[in-house]
Amino acid sequence: MRVLSGIQPSGRPHLGNYFSMMKRMIEYQKTDELFCFIASYHSMTSVTDGNVLAQNILETAADFLALGLDPAKSVFWVQSDVPEVCELAWILSNHITVPQLELAHSYKDKIANGLSPGVGLFSYPVLMAADILLFGSEKVPVGKDQKQHLEITRDIAERFNKRCDAEVLVMPQPDILENVALVPGLDGRKMSKSYNNVIYPFESEKKLRKSIMAIQTDSTPVDEPKSYTDSVLFDIYSLFLDTPGKSALRDRFQTPGEGYGHIKQSLYEAVLDYFRIAREKRAAIIRRPDDIRDILRTGAERARSVARPLIEKVRQSSGLAY
Ligand code: ADP
Ligand code: TRP
């Protein structure tokens, strides 16, 4: 099956991105045909400094490669290196209405959080639909917050196909882990680059420890049992544990004498341990940015070889190939 997903280089990937999307993508690589891209055009809705954007693209690519994305097996590229996606986005924008886009939660949330209501931000879901439909994607693993964008994509595909009376666009299936909650950030809100409440798995040891120590906890004294329900610390730690591990963590919370500081120190050690090999690999990868650029260039050529025939079909069926 063709599996596709993308991540915005609007900062460095955090544990929320890792557990909801990056980890699953890398697992799919073993069994499916994986298309993975860095959504550079999308992040222009929030990143305005070109130097920052360029650096974020390389850093995000290094993270993916270190985590095990194999560019020989999977197609791995930067969105803006396949500009056909913009042409498709324009064509698709004629298959959705303004009132429909006005319903998008992510647009409303981003505006509420201070982003400027630019046209790019407003039409973000149309570009996302183009990302998915340009490559004939069958399955799209994303976090829960992207569910509505997938519904918009399916809507657009259906209307497009209906209008040209042919199955030109493949109908994608969202792949969302419904029973897995959004990963909470240090302050209990959704972990997000825009809330400054994230844990970066590739942070220096000192900063990683500092961010883990900053996880918000209540003021239960050390010598009293602590509640693990509604605990951000418990929820984040659980991501690294199997069922017996979670049950042991519950016991630690309930054992008087175990302070939050001790539990945070164990979490810090668990994170380092979990990402140890990837952290070593990443340090070597980021020292060779030209190698990263080569990998991405080759990936873009492969992606383009899939995109071109599709855009040709779309042009044919829309009347542009007169
Ligand atoms: P951010 O909100 O930090 O800017 P992105 O919008 O780039 O993150 O999200 C990339 C992917 O990670 C998407 O599939 C999104 O659903 C997922 N994701 C982002 N934050 C979280 C979170 N806190 N918990 C689970 N998944 C998340
Ligand atoms: N909107 C996604 C996010 O913020 C990133 C993204 C852009 C994406 N295009 C995509 C994800 C296509 C899956 C498929 O996380």
Side-chain angles (χ1 to χ4, degrees):
M1 195 173 274
R2 184 166 293 173
V3 178
L4 172 141
S5 194
I7 187 165
Q8 293 192 61
S10 50
R12 289 157 59 196
H14 52 73
L15 290 184
N17 303 139
Y18 174 71
F19 282 104
S20 70
M21 185 262 193
M22 300 171 90
K23 178 171 184 247
R24 288 197 291 147
M25 294 285 278
I26 289 155
E27 278 162 9
Y28 271 127
Q29 186 171 251
K30 295 188 200 134
T31 48
D32 292 78
E33 192 190 5
L34 182 67
F35 278 58
C36 178
F37 70 97
I38 299 179
S40 46
Y41 284 138
H42 275 113
S43 65
M44 295 178 90
T45 56
S46 60
V47 182
T48 48
D49 182 324
N51 292 324
V52 171
L53 181 58
Q55 189 59 30
N56 284 353
I57 291 172
L58 286 175
E59 301 271 352
T60 304
D63 285 4
F64 251 122
L65 294 168
L67 288 167
L69 191 124
D70 178 356
K73 243 188 197 160
S74 302
V75 186
F76 182 45
W77 77 104
V78 178
Q79 184 185 31
S80 44
D81 289 341
V82 183
E84 284 84 352
V85 75
C86 288
E87 177 176 0
L88 184 60
W90 172 257
I91 295 171
L92 298 180
S93 70
N94 298 292
H95 296 263
I96 181 132
T97 64
V98 170
Q100 247 183 311
L101 288 181
E102 276 169 346
L103 295 176
H105 307 302
S106 87
Y107 175 72
K108 289 191 270 193
D109 289 351
K110 285 179 177 170
I111 301 289
N113 278 294
L115 277 192
S116 149
V119 175
L121 190 61
F122 183 69
S123 54
Y124 184 112
V126 183
L127 181 57
M128 181 155 164
D131 289 328
I132 296 170
L133 300 172
L134 184 58
F135 299 98
S137 319
E138 296 167 282
K139 198 185 251 195
V140 184
V142 280
K144 257 185 185 169
D145 56 345
Q146 298 296 311
K147 190 174 177 170
Q148 198 184 21
H149 288 159
L150 265 294
E151 284 159 8
I152 295 174
T153 302
R154 288 171 56 87
D155 245 35
I156 292 179
E158 195 181 328
R159 270 189 236 159
F160 182 92
N161 285 344
K162 220 180 235 165
R163 214 178 278 181
C164 36
D165 202 19
E167 294 296 305
V168 177
L169 302 175
V170 173
M171 189 59 73
Q173 299 297 333
D175 176 29
I176 298 170
L177 300 178
E178 289 294 346
N179 54 348
V180 176
L182 282 173
V183 175
L186 304 178
D187 55 2
R189 291 188 290 171
K190 171 199 156 181
M191 186 177 285
S192 171
K193 288 157 218 150
S194 31
Y195 297 155
N196 205 13
N197 65 354
V198 304
I199 298 175
Y200 293 120
F202 295 111
E203 196 59 277
S204 70
E205 292 189 9
K206 200 170 156 201
K207 285 192 182 156
L208 181 65
R209 188 168 184 283
K210 201 170 158 208
S211 57
I212 290 172
M213 290 297 160
I215 295 174
Q216 278 181 14
T217 45
D218 61 23
S219 53
T220 313
V222 178
D223 50 6
E224 280 180 28
K226 286 149 213 78
S227 166
Y228 55 81
T229 51
D230 281 334
S231 162
V232 180
L233 177 58
F234 184 86
D235 289 347
I236 296 180
Y237 204 154
S238 295
L239 296 166
F240 296 91
L241 300 172
D242 54 13
T243 308
K246 277 182 215 164
S247 150
L249 183 62
R250 260 181 234 123
D251 290 345
R252 278 188 79 179
F253 266 72
Q254 304 220 285
T255 307
E258 272 277 22
Y260 285 128
H262 302 138
I263 300 176
K264 287 178 180 177
Q265 176 64 28
S266 313
L267 170 59
Y268 165 66
E269 286 160 18
V271 175
L272 274 187
D273 210 40
Y274 185 95
F275 289 106
R276 188 168 312 282
I277 294 169
R279 285 171 62 92
E280 285 165 13
K281 270 172 80 182
R282 193 193 189 278
I285 291 168
I286 202 69
R287 263 185 249 120
R288 303 174 66 90
D290 279 341
D291 290 359
I292 304 178
R293 291 187 185 97
D294 280 346
I295 287 170
L296 293 171
R297 198 173 305 124
T298 308
E301 280 161 20
R302 289 175 65 195
R304 240 177 158 175
S305 70
V306 176
R308 280 223 186 88
L310 192 283
I311 201 86
E312 228 11 85
K313 252 175 146 178
V314 167
R315 291 175 70 99
Q316 291 275 354
S317 43
S318 323
L320 296 173
Y322 61 92

